[in-house]
Amino acid sequence: MSRRTVSTDAELDQALCEIEGFFDVPPVPGSKEADAFDSLTEAIADFEDKAYPKTDPK
């Protein structure tokens, strides 16, 4: 499985569009589609954690 990366907001928008289809038709575990889904979710989460860090709401 090749690791996806998201480095910009434009790439984030593209990744979110791509992943949207998986919510309508979930991938079969262990399939290429499931690997693509996992890679997209990790890439999205990694980018969002770096670009939009959570702040402590004290």
Side-chain angles (χ1 to χ4, degrees):
M1 169 178 76
S2 64
R3 176 79 163 97
R4 281 287 297 264
T5 60
V6 173
S7 303
T8 65
D9 284 328
E11 290 176 1
L12 175 62
D13 290 343
Q14 178 62 36
L16 291 171
C17 286
E18 288 179 45
I19 207 167
E20 190 174 326
F22 289 113
F23 296 122
D24 296 330
V25 181
V28 175
S31 67
K32 289 183 196 178
E33 292 81 10
D35 289 344
F37 178 81
D38 291 343
S39 181
L40 277 169
T41 57
E42 290 174 14
I44 290 167
D46 289 347
F47 176 76
E48 287 180 338
D49 287 346
K50 291 175 188 167
Y52 306 104
K54 296 178 180 123
T55 59
D56 190 4
K58 287 184 182 182

